[in-house]
Amino acid sequence: MKFSIYLILIVGILSSCSLSSNNNFNLASITYDLNSSQLGWGGDFADYKIKDSVSCDLHIESATLPSNLSINQKAIKISGSNWDDNLFMFLKKKVSGLKPNADYTVVFEVQLASDAPLGIAKGDSVYLKVGAISQEPKAIRDGDYYRMNINKGSGYTGGSDMVVLGTIGTSYNAQGYSLIEKSNDTNSSNPYILGHTNDKGELWLIVGTDSMYKGALTIYYTSVTVVISISQ
């Protein structure tokens, strides 16, 4: 899956987390290739009981992709076990250099490795979500649980701060891990995300999975591309 051709033609690829020093750009693209390093992406977990912090076996690290992919490449590996209603596992990244208090439209393309074929619970009930918001997304204590401080929705539904790109299901009867790509480009059911910067000209990008599957889940994020344009 690729972004619309007109975007590819006019967008310059930038590697810095700061998009502009003079806040005058109208359209920019950043590709975060997570092979060499995490490039400032951090992560956390939410929607699990505080008492289950150990049994959920939560981990985030830079790791080599599974051997069956035959690719000598690293990615951000995130894993956890869902023993309750659902488990949210997410990565986040701050983008600066935007106009303060301005509206931007954001298109994501996310590449990840999944071992969850379609047609089984693991492939059909783990939902990939993305968002672009003005505040840092965090897991906070809420009674007996860790919950998000943003509105990400629940399970297969999105919220005011995140949209659903689909499941992490690969193909039917797939064996081992497969690379998949998901996007909210103009050909998808969610053609864009509207993000509003804070008074410092910052947006927080968030990519995560909302899992309704009971059991262990491990996925590898290989790259995240975002196209950010000022909303007219």
Side-chain angles (χ1 to χ4, degrees), residues 190-210:
N190 294 300
Y192 66 88
I193 293 169
L194 184 64
H196 187 79
T197 58
N198 59 28
D199 56 8
K200 296 180 180 179
E202 300 169 341
L203 270 181
W204 283 89
L205 309 176
I206 178 170
V207 177
T209 51
D210 225 346

Side-chain angles (χ1 to χ4, degrees), residues 19-210:
L19 295 183
S20 174
S21 60
N22 56 17
N23 299 328
N24 288 326
F25 80 92
N26 292 318
L27 180 67
S29 172
I30 318 171
T31 295
Y32 299 99
D33 182 350
L34 303 174
N35 177 31
S36 57
S37 74
Q38 295 185 198
L39 299 176
W41 286 84
D44 206 348
F45 305 83
D47 290 348
Y48 64 96
K49 291 180 179 178
I50 296 171
K51 70 179 181 64
D52 292 336
S53 296
V54 174
S55 63
C56 285
D57 198 24
L58 309 173
H59 295 284
I60 301 174
E61 61 180 332
S62 179
T64 303
L65 288 172
S67 58
N68 78 285
L69 291 174
S70 300
I71 302 173
N72 186 19
Q73 179 179 327
K74 287 189 174 183
I76 297 181
K77 175 184 176 182
I78 185 166
S79 59
S81 296
N82 178 27
W83 305 127
D84 202 16
D85 290 335
N86 68 330
L87 176 67
F88 187 60
M89 312 192 306
F90 67 96
L91 302 179
K92 61 183 178 181
K93 168 75 177 179
K94 182 174 70 175
V95 175
S96 59
L98 303 171
K99 291 182 179 180
N101 302 308
D103 289 331
Y104 285 84
T105 56
V106 184
V107 177
F108 281 81
E109 182 178 79
V110 181
Q111 185 185 75
L112 59 89
S114 166
D115 68 343
L118 292 169
I120 66 171
K122 192 174 184 180
D124 294 343
S125 51
V126 180
Y127 298 89
L128 182 67
K129 299 181 178 182
V130 295
I133 56 178
S134 60
Q135 64 174 318
E136 180 179 2
K138 296 180 179 180
I140 58 174
R141 287 176 174 262
D142 182 12
D144 295 331
Y145 285 80
Y146 284 110
R147 303 291 192 191
M148 292 302 295
N149 66 336
I150 63 171
N151 184 354
K152 65 174 181 62
S154 179
Y156 58 86
T157 62
S160 58
D161 293 319
M162 299 190 77
V163 301
V164 180
L165 299 189
T167 72
I168 64 163
T170 55
S171 59
Y172 290 99
N173 301 316
Q175 299 295 317
Y177 277 85
S178 300
L179 288 172
I180 62 172
E181 291 180 344
K182 297 288 184 177
S183 175
N184 65 312
D185 66 11
T186 53
N187 296 317
S188 73
S189 59
N190 294 300
Y192 66 88
I193 293 169
L194 184 64
H196 187 79
T197 58
N198 59 28
D199 56 8
K200 296 180 180 179
E202 300 169 341
L203 270 181
W204 283 89
L205 309 176
I206 178 170
V207 177
T209 51
D210 225 346

